[in-house]
Amino acid sequence: MDSFVLNEKKKILLEFINSKEYQPMKFKELCNILQVPRSEKQDLKEVLLSLQDEGKILVDVKGKYKAAEENTKTGIFSGTQRGFGFVIVEGEEDDIFIPENSTRGALHNDKVLVSIKEEKTGKRREGEIIRIIERGLTTVVGTFEKSKNFGFVVADNQKLGKDIFIPKEHTKGAVTGHKVVVKITDFGNQEKNPEGKIVEILGHMNDPGVDILSVIMAYELPVEFPDEVMKQVESVPDEIDSKDMAGRKDIRHLQTVTIDGEDAKDLDDAITISQEGNLYRLGVHIADVTNYVTEDSSMDKEALKRGTSVYLVDRVIPMLPHKLSNGICSLNQGTDRLALSCFMDIDDKGNVVGHEIAETVINVDRRMTYTSVRKILEDHDQEEMKEYEELVPMFLLMKELADILREKRRKRGSIDFDFPESKILLDKSGHPIDIKPYERNTATKIIEDFMLLANETIAEDFFWQELPFLYRSHEKPDSEKIQQLGIFINNFGYHIKVGQDEIHPKELQKLLSKIEGTPEEALISRLTLRSMKRAKYTTDSDGHFGLATRYYCHFTSPIRRYPDLQIHRIIKENLRGGLREKRIKHYNKILPDVARQTSLFERRADDAERDVEKLKKVEYMSGFIGHTFEGVISGITSWGMYVELPNTVEGMIKVVDLQDDYYIYDEGTYSMTGEHTRRTFKLGQKVTVEVIGTDMLMKTIDFALVEETLEEP
């Protein structure tokens, strides 16, 4: 049907359904009362469906059409393994709670129409799903369980909430324990489970590598590059062409270093530094990836499709082919390379008093590691200092400037999450043999400080030029989460000031300073981070709460993040005078989608990385059944208490396993109290636990409380 005709018919029909005389009726009754000829009944169905999708009319349980109430919204359903769920409405801060009996058979990720109840029953708005507009999942990865005449698949994604029934003729010969990919053929309903057929067997759940492969498949992470991308890669040169150097600033004479981890292969940022009087001249030089990944080329489209590189425990799924990241776009020692550079003049208070952005040609003098630079600056290791004698003054100057920059950020309230992340070590078969914290040192912090400054400087420059751009924005945290954090830290004797439901980042920064060096530092840091919102990409400079800055972007990693690649293109076009009205319109048109898409793909990568980490932690703890550990209560819910161990592993003490009393959860204080004994468990309390079970399917670790529990903090 022509869109103009459709809109006109929708308008007329909507007026009729919204009229006072209209009574809810079924399709057949509508056709009769409107005297719709048989030849036009399909058109009427199309009009009704379109109005339903827009949330303007509803179909009740009896199949009757009626006007939608004002409090209906369209959103994405997020399921839980306990049956209930939440609807996330774009642009709204609070999700809508959907009880188990009101999901109408919606599955995780479905686009739904929800009717919101006027009265609040708890902290959240409550609603019921009245229509499933679009299914979100068509294939699912899970573990197959075989019965005599059929099978079923337990989805890896616990948010699906239901097992998938597999008829015998569609099991593809799978046996119990096989990891499989299932195509859903019938989505079921509130009473009936979804049905599907197995389209691929990934291997047995105990086979090496199958667990991580399952995560890759579940998140639909693209592993292989398409043929057209690989053909384009073949044309990329191994060394830079002299023609590409034309018009660039030649800084090959400047003392230049890269500082990375020992195992890093893609060296995409380099540093130069000098001092004149009380001014520091810092150069941050980023590999010019856009010289080889041109707009709308096969490589560019594939990079946008991936959004980011994904770092799993045993592998990296790169955004761009390795020939670029490890070759022409790697700032290797002793080779000429193309870069996009940000030169900053910085005074002794850390203020950028002048800057220049330029396309450059660089040549790195030495490829340094964090370990070597740490040995020079922290340990004053004589052997290391002799090895890099000509560079030692440069490293001392870097530390001097980095200290000034960090102090400036501290004064404005920037939050520095200096807590250890997990480093999971695997054997050759992919089994975890140790979990230990990643350590940050002086060298890693110097590079972070310099990259942060370059990102800020570039963002502020383009904000004031009023040109289309991609910013990195971080909203203020929810007051409810900050309140929960306040309760948690009170158990350790700390407090934070919250004014009119808002908190200044300086308060959180002060908290992190107070806990520095204490046993609870890692836990409180991690929970402070969890209390914040996710940063995302936006086309407006909305500010970055965590860094306490008005201007921020991602400029320093175009080899592994698409937003950086995108803004490099804009920067270069602007430098060359090509950002005229036509191109400004072009970027204004495409950037909102780039921001939305790359934010989504970043989230997908984070979730996949976290799932793999969870899997490996569960597998690791499977070897410690019966062992006891000291831990801290990191979360309390009505069904149990989460306990975090010093190695960052988290498990649960189920409330049903607390046999000495009947325990009641207090939502206001996030505590658990025995009805008769009045024994209380609080967030932050130290406990001794025994590992009593692990579940690889559910990715869970079960703890039992050991009665020699340590004193409360």
Side-chain angles (χ1 to χ4, degrees), residues 269-335:
D269 54 81
I271 301 295
T272 57
I273 191 169
S274 59
Q275 188 176 24
E276 289 173 33
N278 70 342
L279 277 188
Y280 299 88
R281 173 82 163 167
L282 173 67
V284 173
H285 314 286
I286 309 299
D288 188 356
V289 181
T290 59
N291 196 72
Y292 308 100
V293 183
T294 51
E295 188 174 34
D296 281 337
S297 64
S298 300
M299 262 198 285
D300 182 46
K301 287 173 182 169
E302 182 65 18
L304 177 56
K305 218 163 103 182
R306 292 173 179 235
T308 180
S309 295
V310 186
Y311 295 83
L312 304 177
V313 169
D314 67 340
R315 73 195 80 186
V316 176
I317 301 172
M319 183 180 83
L320 292 167
H322 285 304
K323 186 177 178 185
L324 274 86
S325 56
N326 299 351
I328 195 77
C329 294
S330 187
L331 307 179
N332 299 329
Q333 179 179 315
T335 57

Side-chain angles (χ1 to χ4, degrees), residues 110-210:
D110 285 351
K111 187 178 182 181
V112 297
L113 192 65
V114 61
S115 173
I116 304 162
K117 292 183 181 176
E118 284 182 19
E119 71 285 351
K120 268 191 178 184
T121 51
K123 288 185 179 178
R124 293 177 186 268
R125 293 174 297 170
E126 190 175 307
E128 66 172 316
I129 290 170
I130 48 182
R131 181 157 182 263
I132 296 161
I133 297 169
E134 190 182 321
R135 292 293 184 176
L137 297 172
T138 52
T139 58
V140 172
V141 175
T143 307
F144 182 72
E145 298 281 339
K146 190 176 183 181
S147 291
K148 191 176 179 184
N149 297 315
F150 63 91
F152 60 91
V153 169
V154 181
D156 284 355
N157 187 342
Q158 299 301 310
K159 289 184 176 182
L160 200 66
K162 292 180 177 179
D163 299 340
I164 300 161
F165 174 77
I166 311 290
K168 192 174 183 179
E169 64 271 21
H170 294 313
T171 58
K172 209 174 182 176
V175 300
T176 297
H178 264 150
K179 283 284 185 185
V180 296
V181 181
V182 177
K183 182 176 174 58
I184 299 177
T185 54
D186 179 349
F187 289 91
N189 54 40
Q190 198 127 343
E191 292 77 35
K192 182 186 162 198
N193 278 26
E195 192 173 307
K197 62 177 182 179
I198 292 173
V199 291
E200 188 177 351
I201 296 171
L202 302 176
H204 195 273
M205 61 187 291
N206 296 329
D207 292 345
V210 169

Side-chain angles (χ1 to χ4, degrees), residues 396-461:
L396 292 171
L397 194 59
M398 281 186 186
K399 184 173 186 313
E400 191 179 301
L401 176 58
D403 288 345
I404 291 169
L405 295 176
R406 199 169 304 119
E407 176 58 17
K408 186 186 179 220
R409 283 208 319 277
R410 187 194 68 76
K411 280 181 178 170
R412 76 182 188 205
S414 175
I415 304 165
D416 183 19
F417 287 101
D418 191 7
F419 62 86
E421 293 178 25
S422 305
K423 183 168 187 175
I424 301 172
L425 303 177
L426 308 178
D427 63 18
K428 287 178 183 175
S429 304
H431 298 299
I433 51 174
D434 198 7
I435 299 175
K436 58 184 188 181
Y438 267 118
E439 292 296 340
R440 286 170 79 206
N441 59 41
T442 301
T444 59
K445 287 178 183 177
I446 285 171
I447 295 302
E448 280 173 26
D449 292 330
F450 292 170
M451 298 302 134
L452 285 172
L453 190 67
N455 287 337
E456 277 186 59
T457 303
I458 297 278
E460 184 170 2
D461 183 305

Side-chain angles (χ1 to χ4, degrees), residues 58 111 144 275 377 423 427 448 509 591 628 654 661 664:
L58 309 176
K111 187 178 182 181
F144 182 72
Q275 188 176 24
L377 294 176
K423 183 168 187 175
D427 63 18
E448 280 173 26
Q509 181 216 66
L591 289 182
T628 58
K654 290 176 182 160
D661 202 348
I664 300 161

Side-chain angles (χ1 to χ4, degrees), residues 247-397:
R248 288 178 176 263
K249 186 169 186 159
D250 191 341
I251 56 167
R252 286 176 289 182
H253 61 286
L254 294 180
Q255 195 176 54
T256 309
V257 295
T258 58
I259 308 176
D260 294 275
E262 277 86 350
D263 51 357
K265 293 182 178 69
D266 50 337
L267 317 176
D268 59 353
D269 54 81
I271 301 295
T272 57
I273 191 169
S274 59
Q275 188 176 24
E276 289 173 33
N278 70 342
L279 277 188
Y280 299 88
R281 173 82 163 167
L282 173 67
V284 173
H285 314 286
I286 309 299
D288 188 356
V289 181
T290 59
N291 196 72
Y292 308 100
V293 183
T294 51
E295 188 174 34
D296 281 337
S297 64
S298 300
M299 262 198 285
D300 182 46
K301 287 173 182 169
E302 182 65 18
L304 177 56
K305 218 163 103 182
R306 292 173 179 235
T308 180
S309 295
V310 186
Y311 295 83
L312 304 177
V313 169
D314 67 340
R315 73 195 80 186
V316 176
I317 301 172
M319 183 180 83
L320 292 167
H322 285 304
K323 186 177 178 185
L324 274 86
S325 56
N326 299 351
I328 195 77
C329 294
S330 187
L331 307 179
N332 299 329
Q333 179 179 315
T335 57
D336 291 345
R337 287 289 185 257
L338 305 179
L340 190 55
S341 300
C342 182
F343 298 94
M344 293 159 282
D345 293 324
I346 305 153
D347 67 18
D348 55 7
K349 299 285 189 297
N351 301 307
V352 177
V353 294
H355 74 278
E356 177 194 4
I357 305 167
E359 293 181 73
T360 55
V361 183
I362 70 169
N363 191 304
V364 172
D365 293 284
R366 292 300 287 261
R367 184 257 202 260
M368 299 297 300
T369 66
Y370 293 129
T371 306
S372 286
V373 177
R374 177 188 59 75
K375 282 181 180 176
I376 291 165
L377 294 176
E378 285 184 27
D379 305 340
H380 308 294
D381 185 295
Q382 293 304 309
E383 201 176 312
E384 212 75 20
M385 290 175 89
K386 191 164 188 233
E387 164 77 19
Y388 302 106
E389 193 174 356
E390 76 286 2
L391 296 172
V392 169
M394 182 187 199
F395 298 136
L396 292 171
L397 194 59

